[in-house]
């Protein structure tokens, strides 16, 4: 017959044995690898040594090497060809450009008996011209397309050259009427005061930029003939 007291005594023994075995197993595991009750708390890394104070340095944009070019700064322009205000008697209105071909000067009329004088390079023998024109177009760092007549004489010339420091037209150009002629800058400033072009009027890049800022489309341009060779006009006033 089933004895309830005996069963209860047996159950207690079994339960006690199970607890004892679990405790032994837990103790062995704990010795092998201690259990971290709060594994999400990690030790802080050691603090780095303080860095010495560096003063603020403003951002410096990177520099890029540009194509080397001849510039007016590389050539000493003779004093008489440097830009200057001079006494100049004329009946032409202020703002008029007068090109003194024989003396290689360009005058920008200021009025009141004064003009701004620039040294220029002009056409070589057989390529000078004269007359009255007007500025019909202006361009900064103009491209150059030699006309067919020039290519026929100099077939080695490029058919087109983009604007830039190496371009023969220099920093600025002012186109004269419907002709092939221009007032322009140059990448050969040593030619100022000389007769070397195919009829165009050239100034240093610095001077042509100054003139360009004063001239508007429609400005009257008078080109004196080479045959009117006369004494140098215009005495410096400053």
């Amino acid at each position: 017959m089933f004895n309830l007291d005996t069963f209860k005594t047996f159950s207690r023994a079994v339960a006690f044995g199970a607890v004892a075995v679990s405790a032994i197993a837990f103790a062995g595991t704990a010795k092998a690898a201690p259990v971290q009750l709060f594994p999400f708390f990690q030790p802080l890394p050691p603090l780095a040594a303080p860095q010495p104070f560096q003063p603020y340095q403003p951002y410096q944009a990177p520099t890029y090497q540009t194509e080397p070019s001849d510039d007016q700064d590389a050539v000493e322009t003779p004093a008489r060809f440097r830009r200057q205000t001079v006494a100049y008697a004329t009946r032409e209105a202020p703002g008029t450009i007068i090109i003194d071909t024989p003396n290689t000067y360009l005058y920008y009329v200021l009025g009141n008996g004064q003009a701004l004088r620039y040294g220029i390079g002009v056409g070589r023998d057989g390529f000078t011209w004269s007359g009255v024109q007007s500025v019909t177009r202006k361009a900064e760092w103009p491209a150059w397309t030699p006309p067919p007549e020039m290519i026929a004489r100099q077939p080695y010339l490029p058919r087109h050259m983009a604007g830039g420091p190496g371009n023969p037209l220099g920093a600025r150009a002012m186109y004269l009427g419907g002709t092939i002629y221009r007032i322009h800058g140059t990448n050969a400033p040593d030619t100022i005061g000389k007769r070397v072009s195919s009829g165009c009027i050239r100034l240093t890049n610095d001077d042509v930029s100054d003139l360009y800022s004063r001239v508007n489309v429609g400005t009257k341009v008078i080109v004196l003939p080479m045959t009117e060779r006369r004494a140098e006009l215009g005495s410096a006033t400053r």
Side-chain angles (χ1 to χ4, degrees):
M1 173 178 280
F2 177 76
N3 189 322
L4 180 59
D5 294 334
T6 303
F7 176 74
K8 290 180 178 180
T9 303
F10 175 77
S11 296
R12 292 191 187 100
V14 172
F16 178 78
V19 171
V21 171
S22 298
I24 294 170
F26 178 79
T29 304
K31 290 179 180 180
V35 177
Q36 296 182 358
L37 298 179
F38 304 99
F40 45 83
F41 287 116
Q42 299 295 329
L44 295 175
L47 294 176
Q51 298 296 319
F53 173 75
Q54 296 292 338
Y56 170 74
Q57 296 292 334
Y59 172 74
Q60 296 290 334
T63 57
Y64 301 93
Q65 183 66 33
T66 57
E67 179 184 357
S69 64
D70 290 330
D71 189 72
Q72 59 272 11
D73 294 335
V75 176
E76 184 68 24
T77 303
R80 72 188 188 94
F81 293 132
R82 295 174 192 164
R83 183 172 72 244
Q84 55 193 293
T85 299
V86 299
Y88 189 74
T90 179
R91 295 181 179 178
E92 298 296 335
T96 302
I97 292 175
I98 301 175
I99 304 218
D100 183 355
T101 307
N103 294 302
T104 61
Y105 289 134
L106 181 151
Y107 293 93
Y108 179 79
V109 178
L110 298 174
N112 297 320
Q114 291 188 324
L116 197 57
R117 190 179 73 186
Y118 304 81
I120 59 174
V122 299
R124 59 187 182 272
D125 289 344
F127 288 88
T128 58
W129 60 283
S130 62
V132 179
Q133 292 291 338
S134 63
V135 174
T136 52
R137 185 163 74 91
K138 298 169 60 180
E140 298 184 10
W141 293 106
W144 180 46
T145 301
E149 301 89 340
M150 184 177 291
I151 290 177
R153 296 190 303 269
Q154 301 167 285
Y156 54 84
L157 292 176
R159 274 31 180 186
H160 181 80
M161 182 180 291
N167 192 301
L169 297 187
R172 304 288 186 270
M174 288 152 277
Y175 296 76
L176 302 180
T179 72
I180 62 174
Y181 302 119
R182 290 150 292 207
I183 300 171
H184 62 79
T186 180
N187 59 3
D190 58 318
T191 59
I192 299 302
K194 299 179 182 177
R195 300 172 177 83
V196 295
S197 79
S198 294
C200 287
I201 308 302
R202 62 178 65 179
L203 298 85
T204 65
N205 282 336
D206 185 55
D207 280 354
V208 79
S209 296
D210 180 84
L211 180 65
Y212 185 95
S213 69
R214 302 172 187 272
V215 169
N216 298 315
V217 170
T219 292
K220 182 179 180 181
V221 179
I222 301 172
V223 181
L224 302 178
M226 179 64 80
T227 53
E228 287 189 15
R229 195 170 188 87
R230 50 186 173 172
E232 180 178 323
L233 297 176
S235 57
T237 60
R238 70 164 184 247

